Amino acid sequence: SAYGKGLADETRKAMNAAGLTETMNESYNAGEDDYNALVSKMKEAGIDAVYFGGYHTEIGKILKQMAEQGMKAQGISGDSNNTLELGTIAGKASDGFIFTFAPEPRNLPSATEIVKRFKDGGYDPEGYTLFTYAAFQMYAAAVKATDSTDPKVLAEWLRSGKNTVPTVLGDITLDSKGDVVNPKYVFYKF
């Protein structure tokens, strides 16, 4: 996917800039069930750490097939793997898997009330739930501030770099590209 390729490319660039060279760089097709040929190639190359650019649906299968082949490489990836479904797919092979994500949003003081409301309704707001909620809060703030629903007007207001919106994730300001100013990421171990 574009997401996975972008993530892998940027990670490789940072790794290379730090003086490390990858042993191999491979792509995989999303939606397949059998990644054993890729796993065999990594095992043969003696890979001891694998950075995956992609989603938990494929990464879970690859981790499981790595374990089935006795490959003990450390798996690492990005935020799309912050879901219990990774463990459902990979089973024990997901133990120790490392991924990056923003600081746990359910633990933020600004999210306490909405997390309680979600949980009282029988839903644990894991993964991107609170990020989506914050996006709607930002949309609502832009509509209120501009008295418009025109996407171009809203984008201009949100991307001005001047408008900070209080959300369940805390105060958010976007830059001219629409990216969060000063994003925070941490490593998690599955």
Side-chain angles (χ1 to χ4, degrees):
S1 66
Y3 161 79
K5 182 176 179 351
L7 192 60
D9 288 349
E10 290 303 312
T11 299
R12 184 177 44 260
K13 276 191 224 175
M15 184 181 85
N16 294 159
L20 299 171
T21 303
E22 66 275 9
T23 302
M24 61 188 295
N25 177 26
E26 295 287 329
S27 296
Y28 57 87
N29 294 318
E32 293 184 8
D33 288 321
D34 185 357
Y35 296 101
N36 278 299
L38 173 62
V39 171
S40 294
K41 190 172 181 181
M42 291 188 299
K43 187 176 177 184
E44 188 176 303
I47 302 295
D48 57 6
V50 180
Y51 188 87
F52 297 98
Y55 296 98
H56 67 280
T57 46
E58 288 74 33
I59 293 170
K61 293 173 190 174
I62 295 170
L63 289 172
K64 186 174 184 180
Q65 291 167 19
M66 286 169 60
E68 289 168 354
Q69 288 195 34
M71 189 175 172
K72 300 192 183 316
Q74 175 64 58
I76 308 164
S77 192
D79 54 346
S80 67
N81 292 279
N82 185 17
T83 174
L84 295 175
E85 194 174 337
L86 176 69
T88 301
I89 296 167
K92 288 277 187 195
S94 62
D95 290 354
F97 180 77
I98 296 171
F99 63 94
T100 53
F101 195 73
E104 176 53 58
R106 292 173 292 186
N107 295 340
L108 296 171
S110 54
T112 302
E113 182 182 322
I114 193 63
V115 167
K116 181 181 180 331
R117 287 175 42 202
F118 272 119
K119 286 186 175 183
D120 288 350
Y123 178 75
D124 185 7
E126 71 162 355
Y128 290 105
T129 303
L130 295 177
F131 292 89
T132 304
Y133 195 92
F136 277 100
Q137 288 178 302
M138 294 187 73
Y139 173 82
V143 167
K144 185 176 180 180
T146 63
D147 196 29
S148 175
T149 57
D150 181 317
K152 289 180 182 178
V153 172
L154 300 178
E156 184 178 313
W157 186 86
L158 286 166
R159 294 177 175 191
S160 71
K162 301 174 191 170
N163 301 307
T164 299
V165 179
T167 74
V168 295
L169 302 176
D171 292 345
I172 296 179
T173 306
L174 302 181
D175 66 15
S176 62
K177 294 188 310 183
D179 291 332
V180 174
V181 173
N182 298 319
K184 294 170 182 64
Y185 286 92
V186 294
F187 283 96
Y188 291 92
K189 192 174 222 180
F190 203 86

